[in-house]
Amino acid sequence: MNLVLFGPPGAGKGTQSRFLTETRGLPQLSTGDMLRAAIEAGTPLGLSCKALMAKGELVPDETVIGIIAERYDRPDCKNGAVFDGFPRTVPQAEALDRMLAERGKKIDLVLELKVDDAALLARVESRIKAGGVLRSDDTPETLKHRLEVYYKNTAPLIGFYKAQGKLVSLDGMAPIEKVTAQIEAALKGAEA
Ligand code: AMP
């Protein structure tokens, strides 16, 4: 099964993807994590993305499409994967459909986590208050910009996947376990 976890920055996509990895054995394919690993490793790809990511801008479509295709071809994705933070633009979604079709696969379901902006800002502020290690883009200012980028470039995917009949919208404001339960129910519905 191939799933897309979709939603604004800080909606809880990573948390819910990890749950799907544990319960369904589907690897989490997070382009954000892959890009941060490339920055950490100091690769040319990482260096080319660092400034854009720190500002909350998207990196070029070809960059993420390339790393996703390479990652998807590893053996652990033979039964599918959870795409987290990818696709983020319509061209990325079209490229993902093509990539999967070439392999005889498809996206089965797109799970949208709906969270309003005020709650996302409150989440960043509470992470800052709690201390700990924060990402360079995890500040209220950068989040505001990432939300603008989300509404402009990524939100159009809601219509894209709705038209394909694959979109399931969930209440991402609910406590983590309630969101997980909604995801389970959506998967059971899709499998039935
Ligand atoms: P994330 O961890 O998913 O919030 O991603 C962190 C940052 O990585 C984003 O703000 C973008 O700069 C970059 N990024 C991650 N995934 C993508 C993507 N699919 N398309 C373009 N940029 C991305």
Side-chain angles (χ1 to χ4, degrees):
M1 181 178 266
N2 290 290
L3 304 170
V4 172
L5 264 184
F6 182 83
K13 301 186 292 291
T15 304
Q16 297 300 335
S17 301
R18 285 187 281 280
F19 156 79
L20 286 163
T21 301
E22 276 164 31
T23 57
R24 309 238 158 191
L26 297 173
Q28 173 198 14
L29 268 51
S30 156
T31 40
D33 286 350
M34 293 176 208
L35 294 168
R36 280 185 289 276
I39 292 176
E40 193 67 22
T43 66
L45 182 132
L47 290 175
S48 71
C49 296
K50 194 173 174 177
L52 286 170
M53 287 175 71
K55 280 191 285 190
E57 300 287 348
L58 296 183
V59 309
D61 287 340
E62 313 79 68
T63 304
V64 281
I65 291 165
I67 60 174
I68 274 286
E70 197 180 301
R71 177 66 186 86
Y72 191 79
D73 284 334
R74 292 211 211 136
D76 63 334
C77 296
K78 66 178 188 309
N79 295 323
V82 183
F83 295 91
D84 162 11
F86 178 90
R88 260 181 161 91
T89 64
V90 171
Q92 289 180 23
E94 289 168 346
L96 178 61
D97 280 353
R98 277 196 302 275
M99 178 198 89
L100 292 172
E102 282 163 10
R103 291 156 177 78
K105 307 275 174 81
K106 63 176 171 58
I107 291 297
D108 296 287
L109 214 57
V110 178
L111 301 161
E112 180 198 5
L113 300 182
K114 286 172 90 89
V115 182
D116 68 38
D117 293 5
L120 295 170
L121 277 167
R123 286 180 186 179
V124 175
E125 274 152 12
S126 76
R127 283 196 291 277
I128 291 170
K129 272 206 199 97
V133 184
L134 289 181
R135 283 164 37 173
S136 60
D137 59 358
D138 205 16
T139 64
E141 296 70 35
T142 314
L143 177 67
K144 279 182 198 146
H145 184 59
R146 293 170 74 209
L147 282 170
E148 283 164 17
V149 171
Y150 172 78
Y151 289 115
K152 180 165 175 267
N153 299 289
T154 308
L157 289 176
I158 294 173
F160 179 91
Y161 285 121
K162 224 181 230 172
Q164 292 191 356
K166 291 180 180 167
L167 189 80
V168 178
S169 298
L170 307 171
D171 174 16
M173 309 271 282
I176 292 174
E177 5 13 288
K178 293 239 162 77
V179 178
T180 304
Q182 293 176 66
I183 291 178
E184 268 303 297
L187 294 182
K188 292 222 170 76
E191 283 160 351

